[in-house]
Amino acid sequence: MEGEEIKMEAKPENVVYIGKKPTMNYVLAVVTQFNKGMPEVMIKARGNAISRAVDVKEIVVNRFMRDLKEKSIQTSSEEVTGEDGTKFKVSAIRIVLGK
Amino acid sequence: MEGEEIKMEAKPENVVYIGKKPTMNYVLAVVTQFNKGMPEVMIKARGNAISRAVDVKEIVVNRFMRDLKEKSIQTSSEEVTGEDGTKFKVSAIRIVLGK
């Protein structure tokens, strides 16, 4: 499940990768990082998960940690290799929240 | 105050609302606005369409109009009234591109 992501990068603790789990799982993950003392947390998502990433950010900021600031929102286009070896582009988003 | 609301409802030409149509329809809509002489175009989306809005932005900027600049990306949470009258929150995104 997570194997592929680990290969891609070192997966630093303060990055929350948005997948297909329920939104609140990721909200909890972000809040937990801040409660551990992280000054910033990055929310990352690709493709259809981008909408969920924005949900996570909005819920964290509006419902759980109203003192947080949005440090940056960046979008990009990443090249992904499909199971059959074909390459295609997928959009990505990175949202950085900080205290 | 009233004036502002009317303005918002008026659906200005340089705002492209992302729905469920194929992504390239919206890409074409954005490019058309710039070709008409608009200095800025706003891409707006709510809920699941947010991912498509990011796709539209990435395709316009990377494939069609490489000289465009990203002016701003904002996310928000909007209250929507469902068909049965219940109110719920939905995330939204606004991406402004400019020359």
Side-chain angles (χ1 to χ4, degrees):
Chain A
M1 178 80 185
E2 298 180 338
E4 207 176 289
E5 283 176 358
I6 290 167
K7 250 192 252 162
M8 281 173 55
E9 31 194 302
K11 213 173 182 180
E13 246 193 313
N14 65 332
V15 178
V16 174
Y17 294 85
I18 308 301
K20 294 180 175 180
K21 291 178 192 167
T23 303
M24 292 310 286
N25 291 30
Y26 303 110
V27 170
L28 184 65
V30 173
V31 172
T32 302
Q33 291 310 316
F34 280 115
N35 287 344
K36 274 187 184 174
M38 294 288 177
E40 290 191 348
V41 175
M42 180 186 282
I43 300 167
K44 284 184 83 170
R46 293 203 295 204
N48 288 333
I50 289 173
S51 304
R52 189 168 298 122
V54 174
D55 286 341
V56 170
K57 180 228 158 182
E58 290 297 320
I59 294 170
V60 168
V61 171
N62 293 326
R63 235 195 280 171
F64 290 93
M65 304 186 76
R66 287 174 182 275
D67 54 330
L68 283 185
K69 286 186 183 72
E70 178 190 299
K71 298 283 181 172
S72 67
I73 301 185
Q74 285 180 295
T75 68
S76 59
S77 190
E78 298 181 358
E79 198 171 74
V80 173
T81 306
E83 285 179 18
D84 59 352
T86 55
K87 288 179 178 178
F88 58 95
K89 296 260 190 174
V90 64
S91 298
I93 198 166
R94 282 182 202 145
I95 302 170
V96 178
L97 297 177
K99 283 189 177 173
Chain B
M1 217 37 205
E2 230 176 43
E4 208 175 286
E5 278 173 37
I6 290 167
K7 229 183 177 180
M8 281 175 60
E9 299 285 329
K11 216 176 182 177
E13 247 193 311
N14 66 333
V15 177
V16 174
Y17 293 87
I18 308 300
K20 292 180 178 181
K21 291 180 193 165
T23 303
M24 291 310 287
N25 291 31
Y26 303 110
V27 169
L28 184 65
V30 173
V31 172
T32 301
Q33 291 310 315
F34 279 116
N35 287 343
K36 273 187 184 172
M38 294 287 178
E40 288 191 349
V41 175
M42 181 186 280
I43 300 167
K44 284 184 82 169
R46 292 204 294 206
N48 288 333
I50 289 174
S51 305
R52 190 168 298 122
V54 175
D55 286 340
V56 170
K57 181 230 158 182
E58 289 297 321
I59 293 170
V60 168
V61 172
N62 294 326
R63 235 196 278 172
F64 290 93
M65 304 187 76
R66 288 174 181 274
D67 54 330
L68 284 183
K69 288 186 183 72
E70 178 189 301
K71 298 283 183 174
S72 68
I73 301 184
Q74 285 181 295
T75 68
S76 60
S77 189
E78 299 182 358
E79 199 171 74
V80 173
T81 306
E83 285 179 16
D84 59 351
T86 55
K87 287 178 180 180
F88 58 95
K89 295 260 191 174
V90 65
S91 297
I93 198 166
R94 280 182 204 147
I95 302 170
V96 178
L97 298 178
K99 284 188 176 174

Short mmCIF file of all heavy atoms in Angstrom, two decimals, chain A residues 47-51 54-55 57-58 62 70 73 75-77 91-93, chain B residues 47-51 54-55 57-58 62 70 73 75-77 91-93:
data_model
loop_
_atom_site.label_atom_id
_atom_site.label_comp_id
_atom_site.label_asym_id
_atom_site.label_seq_id
_atom_site.Cartn_x
_atom_site.Cartn_y
_atom_site.Cartn_z
N GLY A 47 -3.72 13.86 -8.74
CA GLY A 47 -4.93 13.41 -9.42
C GLY A 47 -6.21 13.73 -8.64
O GLY A 47 -6.37 14.82 -8.11
N ASN A 48 -7.10 12.73 -8.61
CA ASN A 48 -8.40 12.94 -7.96
C ASN A 48 -8.31 13.25 -6.48
O ASN A 48 -9.25 13.79 -5.91
CB ASN A 48 -9.29 11.71 -8.16
CG ASN A 48 -9.77 11.60 -9.59
OD1 ASN A 48 -9.88 12.59 -10.30
ND2 ASN A 48 -10.03 10.37 -10.02
N ALA A 49 -7.18 12.90 -5.85
CA ALA A 49 -7.04 13.16 -4.42
C ALA A 49 -6.82 14.64 -4.11
O ALA A 49 -6.88 15.05 -2.95
CB ALA A 49 -5.88 12.33 -3.85
N ILE A 50 -6.61 15.45 -5.15
CA ILE A 50 -6.39 16.88 -4.94
C ILE A 50 -7.59 17.51 -4.24
O ILE A 50 -7.43 18.32 -3.32
CB ILE A 50 -6.09 17.59 -6.29
CG1 ILE A 50 -4.70 17.17 -6.79
CG2 ILE A 50 -6.19 19.10 -6.16
CD1 ILE A 50 -4.37 17.67 -8.20
N SER A 51 -8.79 17.13 -4.65
CA SER A 51 -9.99 17.68 -4.01
C SER A 51 -10.01 17.35 -2.52
O SER A 51 -10.35 18.19 -1.68
CB SER A 51 -11.25 17.12 -4.66
OG SER A 51 -11.24 17.36 -6.04
N VAL A 54 -7.69 19.55 -0.47
CA VAL A 54 -8.26 20.86 -0.14
C VAL A 54 -9.27 20.71 1.00
O VAL A 54 -9.30 21.54 1.92
CB VAL A 54 -8.90 21.51 -1.39
CG1 VAL A 54 -9.62 22.80 -1.02
CG2 VAL A 54 -7.83 21.79 -2.45
N ASP A 55 -10.06 19.64 0.98
CA ASP A 55 -10.98 19.37 2.09
C ASP A 55 -10.21 19.27 3.41
O ASP A 55 -10.62 19.85 4.42
CB ASP A 55 -11.73 18.04 1.88
CG ASP A 55 -12.81 18.13 0.81
OD1 ASP A 55 -13.24 19.25 0.50
OD2 ASP A 55 -13.22 17.07 0.31
N LYS A 57 -7.27 20.46 4.24
CA LYS A 57 -6.78 21.77 4.64
C LYS A 57 -7.89 22.62 5.25
O LYS A 57 -7.73 23.23 6.31
CB LYS A 57 -6.18 22.49 3.44
CG LYS A 57 -5.64 23.86 3.79
CD LYS A 57 -6.11 24.91 2.83
CE LYS A 57 -6.03 26.29 3.45
NZ LYS A 57 -6.52 27.33 2.56
N GLU A 58 -9.04 22.66 4.59
CA GLU A 58 -10.14 23.49 5.07
C GLU A 58 -10.66 23.02 6.43
O GLU A 58 -10.96 23.84 7.30
CB GLU A 58 -11.28 23.50 4.04
CG GLU A 58 -10.95 24.27 2.77
CD GLU A 58 -10.70 25.75 3.04
OE1 GLU A 58 -11.40 26.34 3.86
OE2 GLU A 58 -9.75 26.30 2.44
N ASN A 62 -10.32 25.38 9.60
CA ASN A 62 -11.59 25.98 10.05
C ASN A 62 -12.16 25.31 11.30
O ASN A 62 -12.92 25.94 12.03
CB ASN A 62 -12.63 25.92 8.93
CG ASN A 62 -12.26 26.80 7.77
OD1 ASN A 62 -11.67 27.86 7.94
ND2 ASN A 62 -12.58 26.35 6.56
N GLU A 70 -1.81 29.56 6.22
CA GLU A 70 -1.48 28.91 4.97
C GLU A 70 -0.17 29.52 4.48
O GLU A 70 -0.10 30.70 4.18
CB GLU A 70 -2.61 29.20 3.99
CG GLU A 70 -2.41 28.64 2.63
CD GLU A 70 -3.46 29.20 1.69
OE1 GLU A 70 -4.65 28.97 1.93
OE2 GLU A 70 -3.07 29.90 0.74
N ILE A 73 0.48 27.43 -1.44
CA ILE A 73 -0.22 26.41 -2.22
C ILE A 73 0.44 26.39 -3.59
O ILE A 73 0.54 27.42 -4.25
CB ILE A 73 -1.72 26.73 -2.42
CG1 ILE A 73 -2.44 26.87 -1.08
CG2 ILE A 73 -2.39 25.65 -3.26
CD1 ILE A 73 -3.94 27.07 -1.22
N THR A 75 0.77 24.13 -7.33
CA THR A 75 0.34 23.00 -8.16
C THR A 75 1.45 22.68 -9.14
O THR A 75 2.30 23.52 -9.44
CB THR A 75 -0.95 23.32 -8.93
OG1 THR A 75 -0.67 24.31 -9.91
CG2 THR A 75 -2.05 23.79 -8.01
N SER A 76 1.46 21.47 -9.64
CA SER A 76 2.47 21.07 -10.60
C SER A 76 1.93 19.92 -11.44
O SER A 76 0.84 19.42 -11.21
CB SER A 76 3.75 20.63 -9.88
OG SER A 76 3.45 19.55 -9.02
N SER A 77 2.73 19.54 -12.41
CA SER A 77 2.36 18.45 -13.29
C SER A 77 3.48 17.42 -13.19
O SER A 77 4.65 17.75 -13.38
CB SER A 77 2.23 19.01 -14.71
OG SER A 77 1.68 18.05 -15.55
N SER A 91 -1.71 15.90 -12.43
CA SER A 91 -1.57 17.13 -11.67
C SER A 91 -1.32 16.82 -10.20
O SER A 91 -1.75 15.78 -9.70
CB SER A 91 -2.83 17.99 -11.79
OG SER A 91 -3.04 18.35 -13.13
N ALA A 92 -0.64 17.72 -9.54
CA ALA A 92 -0.35 17.53 -8.12
C ALA A 92 -0.52 18.85 -7.38
O ALA A 92 -0.47 19.92 -7.99
CB ALA A 92 1.08 17.01 -7.95
N ILE A 93 -0.74 18.74 -6.08
CA ILE A 93 -0.85 19.95 -5.25
C ILE A 93 -0.04 19.76 -3.98
O ILE A 93 0.11 18.64 -3.49
CB ILE A 93 -2.34 20.27 -4.92
CG1 ILE A 93 -2.52 21.72 -4.46
CG2 ILE A 93 -2.90 19.30 -3.88
CD1 ILE A 93 -3.96 22.20 -4.46
N GLY B 47 -15.81 21.17 -4.67
CA GLY B 47 -15.90 19.72 -4.46
C GLY B 47 -14.96 18.93 -5.36
O GLY B 47 -13.80 19.29 -5.54
N ASN B 48 -15.49 17.84 -5.93
CA ASN B 48 -14.67 16.95 -6.75
C ASN B 48 -14.09 17.62 -7.99
O ASN B 48 -13.11 17.13 -8.56
CB ASN B 48 -15.48 15.72 -7.18
CG ASN B 48 -15.73 14.79 -6.01
OD1 ASN B 48 -14.95 14.75 -5.06
ND2 ASN B 48 -16.80 14.04 -6.08
N ALA B 49 -14.69 18.73 -8.41
CA ALA B 49 -14.19 19.41 -9.61
C ALA B 49 -12.88 20.13 -9.35
O ALA B 49 -12.23 20.60 -10.29
CB ALA B 49 -15.25 20.38 -10.13
N ILE B 50 -12.47 20.23 -8.09
CA ILE B 50 -11.22 20.92 -7.76
C ILE B 50 -10.03 20.28 -8.47
O ILE B 50 -9.16 20.96 -9.02
CB ILE B 50 -11.01 20.95 -6.22
CG1 ILE B 50 -12.03 21.91 -5.58
CG2 ILE B 50 -9.58 21.36 -5.87
CD1 ILE B 50 -12.01 21.91 -4.05
N SER B 51 -10.00 18.94 -8.49
CA SER B 51 -8.90 18.24 -9.18
C SER B 51 -8.86 18.63 -10.65
O SER B 51 -7.79 18.84 -11.22
CB SER B 51 -9.07 16.73 -9.05
OG SER B 51 -9.18 16.35 -7.70
N VAL B 54 -7.33 22.05 -11.28
CA VAL B 54 -5.86 22.03 -11.27
C VAL B 54 -5.35 21.46 -12.60
O VAL B 54 -4.38 21.97 -13.17
CB VAL B 54 -5.31 21.24 -10.06
CG1 VAL B 54 -3.79 21.12 -10.14
CG2 VAL B 54 -5.71 21.94 -8.76
N ASP B 55 -6.01 20.42 -13.10
CA ASP B 55 -5.64 19.88 -14.42
C ASP B 55 -5.73 20.97 -15.49
O ASP B 55 -4.83 21.10 -16.31
CB ASP B 55 -6.59 18.74 -14.82
CG ASP B 55 -6.35 17.45 -14.07
OD1 ASP B 55 -5.25 17.28 -13.51
OD2 ASP B 55 -7.27 16.60 -14.04
N LYS B 57 -5.60 24.23 -15.21
CA LYS B 57 -4.52 25.20 -15.03
C LYS B 57 -3.19 24.64 -15.57
O LYS B 57 -2.47 25.33 -16.30
CB LYS B 57 -4.38 25.55 -13.55
CG LYS B 57 -3.28 26.57 -13.29
CD LYS B 57 -2.35 26.14 -12.20
CE LYS B 57 -1.02 26.83 -12.29
NZ LYS B 57 -0.10 26.40 -11.25
N GLU B 58 -2.87 23.42 -15.19
CA GLU B 58 -1.59 22.84 -15.61
C GLU B 58 -1.51 22.68 -17.12
O GLU B 58 -0.47 22.94 -17.73
CB GLU B 58 -1.39 21.48 -14.92
CG GLU B 58 -1.11 21.60 -13.41
CD GLU B 58 0.19 22.35 -13.13
OE1 GLU B 58 1.17 22.15 -13.87
OE2 GLU B 58 0.21 23.16 -12.18
N ASN B 62 1.19 24.73 -19.19
CA ASN B 62 2.32 23.93 -19.69
C ASN B 62 2.22 23.63 -21.18
O ASN B 62 3.22 23.37 -21.82
CB ASN B 62 2.42 22.61 -18.93
CG ASN B 62 2.79 22.82 -17.47
OD1 ASN B 62 3.54 23.74 -17.15
ND2 ASN B 62 2.24 22.00 -16.59
N GLU B 70 0.92 32.51 -12.79
CA GLU B 70 -0.07 32.19 -11.78
C GLU B 70 -0.15 33.38 -10.83
O GLU B 70 0.81 33.70 -10.14
CB GLU B 70 0.41 30.94 -11.04
CG GLU B 70 -0.50 30.51 -9.93
CD GLU B 70 0.17 29.41 -9.14
OE1 GLU B 70 0.50 28.37 -9.72
OE2 GLU B 70 0.41 29.63 -7.94
N ILE B 73 -3.61 31.39 -5.95
CA ILE B 73 -4.43 30.20 -5.73
C ILE B 73 -5.02 30.33 -4.33
O ILE B 73 -4.29 30.51 -3.36
CB ILE B 73 -3.62 28.89 -5.78
CG1 ILE B 73 -2.93 28.72 -7.13
CG2 ILE B 73 -4.53 27.69 -5.52
CD1 ILE B 73 -2.19 27.39 -7.27
N THR B 75 -8.01 28.73 -1.56
CA THR B 75 -9.04 27.74 -1.28
C THR B 75 -9.97 28.31 -0.22
O THR B 75 -9.62 29.22 0.52
CB THR B 75 -8.45 26.41 -0.76
OG1 THR B 75 -7.88 26.63 0.54
CG2 THR B 75 -7.39 25.88 -1.70
N SER B 76 -11.18 27.79 -0.19
CA SER B 76 -12.14 28.26 0.81
C SER B 76 -13.15 27.16 1.09
O SER B 76 -13.13 26.10 0.47
CB SER B 76 -12.85 29.51 0.30
OG SER B 76 -13.54 29.20 -0.90
N SER B 77 -14.02 27.44 2.02
CA SER B 77 -15.07 26.50 2.38
C SER B 77 -16.40 27.22 2.20
O SER B 77 -16.58 28.31 2.75
CB SER B 77 -14.85 26.10 3.85
OG SER B 77 -15.69 25.05 4.20
N SER B 91 -15.61 22.36 -0.16
CA SER B 91 -14.38 23.11 -0.41
C SER B 91 -14.43 23.72 -1.81
O SER B 91 -15.07 23.19 -2.71
CB SER B 91 -13.16 22.19 -0.31
OG SER B 91 -13.04 21.69 1.00
N ALA B 92 -13.72 24.82 -1.96
CA ALA B 92 -13.68 25.49 -3.26
C ALA B 92 -12.26 25.97 -3.54
O ALA B 92 -11.44 26.12 -2.62
CB ALA B 92 -14.64 26.68 -3.25
N ILE B 93 -11.97 26.17 -4.81
CA ILE B 93 -10.66 26.70 -5.20
C ILE B 93 -10.85 27.79 -6.23
O ILE B 93 -11.81 27.75 -7.02
CB ILE B 93 -9.73 25.57 -5.74
CG1 ILE B 93 -8.26 26.00 -5.73
CG2 ILE B 93 -10.16 25.12 -7.14
CD1 ILE B 93 -7.28 24.84 -5.92
#
